[in-house]
Amino acid sequence: MHIESRPDALFPELLSAESTANAVSTRADGSVFYDSHVSVLVPGLNEAANLRVMLPTLMLLLNRTCRNWEVVVVDDGSTDDTAQLMAEWTTVPGFRYLQLSRNFGKEAAISAGLDSCDGDVVICMDADMQHPPALIPDMLARWKAGSDMVYAVRENRDDETWFKRQGAKWFYRLVSGGQRVDVPAHAGDFRLMDRKVVNALNALPERTRFMKGLYAWVGFKTEAFPYTPADRIHGESKFTPVKLIKLAMSGVTAFTTWPLRMLSLVGFMFALASFGYGAYLVAEYFEYGHQVDGWTTIVCALLFFAGINMVSLGVVGEYVGRIFDEVKGRPLYVVRDRLGRAARTEPSAE
Ligand code: UDP
Ligand code: MG
């Protein structure tokens, strides 16, 4: 859509006098101003140093971009001075703070934020400035042009370790092995979602919140755009290899059942092989008489099948664990404190 060609875009002063919901206007410098209510959701765990840079950046940018906005910071159990910082920032209209009672994990923090965002559109981004706020206007333009969900896809993973790159490669292969939903590779949580999408996500009852899968599951008209993540400004990544493996396991077990099917296949193949071997032994008995050697074969086979059994039990256990989590029906997160209420409303477009 060429926003410039719209009559209301050509006469922004008319628009500011009589504002229409979801209207768009273009300023003299070509920048676009939206009338929609935009929520920016920022999950953070010990990100006070980064938030000090991010919040002023967002405020400047959102003031220039939309009339009505809110920034919702979800504190996922931080132990640094995020709470003090947000106590100050929530005195500024437009900033809201949701403090969870402990660390529930990024997926739960995003769910908490989605539950409490009021916007017509929600933009989710990391607190470490790896997701450049400067891309927000571009995302909004794609939304206005008709996409319900706009997500950023990494152009490369050069900033990540070998372990993380290989892990990501294998993970996307494994999770798309299910083929129930196609989880796009290299797309993270940096995304814009229309209210329709947010409502659909909020309505999902499951406790295993593998967000990348859920975004894909809800469907809607989605659009990807490439971006190069910036470097983290302060601190280290919160996702340790162990945390990433756990996330990958929950992704695979929440979205695919191929490990269970593969177990049946492996069992079937070994059963076939053992029939073959049995037939061979019987033939050997008739040919050469009773054989007593073969101790090594028996011990190796025993150990091997015991190993397969344990692995199979483990895989089944993963799924049973998921069922257990779902059946308990505990809430996804617990809120300790909420600060800041009103959404920021700019008087008019410049
Ligand atoms: N995060 C969170 N809870 C967690 C772990 C991470 O809210 O348990 C937040 C973190 O503060 C950041 C975002 O999720 O805003 C992405 O985390 P990080 O930058 O550590 O991950 P990476 O970019 O390395 O994948
Ligand atoms: Mg990061």
Side-chain angles (χ1 to χ4, degrees):
M1 178 176 79
H2 293 288
I3 289 159
E4 289 75 17
S5 66
R6 291 175 45 161
D8 55 355
L10 296 173
F11 302 105
E13 63 280 8
L14 285 181
L15 199 91
S16 57
E18 191 186 15
S19 103
T20 340
N22 294 339
V24 178
S25 52
T26 309
R27 292 204 195 83
D29 64 357
S31 60
V32 181
F33 192 80
Y34 297 88
D35 259 8
S36 318
H37 184 187
V38 177
S39 298
V40 177
L41 160 59
V42 185
L45 168 62
N46 296 330
E47 304 282 13
N50 290 319
L51 287 172
R52 281 197 177 88
V53 183
M54 187 178 193
L55 299 182
T57 313
L58 280 177
M59 183 157 93
L60 266 174
L61 186 117
L62 291 171
N63 274 342
R64 273 194 281 121
T65 315
C66 44
R67 190 184 305 281
N68 226 313
W69 56 264
E70 61 177 0
V71 173
V72 179
V73 174
V74 182
D75 180 351
D76 188 19
S78 298
T79 48
D80 65 354
D81 54 346
T82 304
Q84 289 95 303
L85 179 78
M86 288 315 298
E88 289 164 24
W89 271 96
T90 44
T91 58
V92 182
F95 287 91
R96 286 166 58 197
Y97 177 59
L98 195 70
Q99 187 185 38
L100 304 187
S101 60
R102 65 170 169 85
N103 178 246
F104 282 88
K106 185 182 178 187
E107 315 292 302
I110 292 179
S111 303
L114 288 178
D115 279 344
S116 83
C117 280
D118 296 326
D120 305 320
V121 61
V122 178
I123 299 170
C124 180
M125 56 203 304
D126 286 358
D128 55 3
M129 294 290 271
Q130 285 199 281
H131 299 160
L135 295 176
I136 290 179
D138 185 26
M139 293 169 99
L140 286 168
R142 286 168 197 264
W143 171 61
K144 277 287 167 197
S147 295
D148 299 320
M149 177 143 54
V150 181
Y151 61 92
V153 179
R154 285 166 164 273
E155 269 184 326
N156 59 59
R157 289 185 166 258
D158 294 348
D159 59 315
E160 298 189 330
T161 59
W162 181 88
F163 169 83
K164 220 169 163 178
R165 282 204 302 270
Q166 292 298 316
K169 190 170 102 189
W170 278 100
F171 170 70
Y172 286 112
R173 264 187 209 170
L174 294 181
V175 90
S176 51
Q179 286 311 337
R180 282 212 203 145
V181 285
D182 195 10
V183 179
H186 315 305
D189 293 308
F190 185 20
R191 61 181 69 217
L192 170 150
M193 287 164 269
D194 186 85
R195 172 55 42 194
K196 295 191 275 286
V197 180
V198 175
N199 288 346
L201 285 170
N202 289 346
L204 293 178
E206 63 240 78
R207 260 113 267 286
T208 314
R209 301 304 267 199
F210 175 61
M211 293 309 294
K212 288 184 184 68
L214 296 182
Y215 298 136
W217 188 89
V218 291
F220 290 100
K221 191 161 179 266
T222 55
E223 184 180 353
F225 73 95
Y227 88 113
T228 310
D231 286 337
R232 202 172 223 289
I233 313 189
H234 295 284
E236 299 273 298
S237 170
K238 308 293 181 311
F239 284 93
T240 55
V242 175
K243 254 190 171 181
L244 281 174
I245 291 171
K246 276 193 191 157
L247 185 67
M249 296 262 276
S250 81
V252 170
T253 49
F255 275 86
T256 70
T257 44
W258 67 257
L260 293 173
R261 249 180 246 148
M262 202 184 66
L263 283 183
S264 317
L265 192 72
V266 170
F268 182 69
M269 271 164 27
F270 278 112
L272 266 187
S274 68
F275 276 123
Y277 188 57
Y280 164 77
L281 289 182
V282 170
E284 196 184 46
Y285 172 76
F286 285 118
E287 188 70 22
Y288 304 109
H290 189 56
Q291 299 283 313
V292 281
D293 55 354
W295 186 85
T296 321
T297 322
I298 290 173
V299 170
C300 288
L302 257 179
L303 288 179
F304 181 69
F305 288 112
I308 296 250
N309 271 335
M310 295 306 275
V311 172
S312 311
L313 260 183
V315 174
V316 176
E318 274 295 318
Y319 285 91
V320 175
R322 293 266 158 268
I323 300 169
F324 184 51
D325 278 345
E326 298 295 331
V327 168
K328 277 187 291 190
R330 288 187 186 151
L332 287 174
Y333 56 87
V334 178
V335 176
R336 179 171 179 270
D337 205 1
R338 282 174 205 268
L339 295 174
R341 291 280 177 266
R344 171 93 171 202
T345 306
E346 286 302 299
S348 67
E350 285 163 31

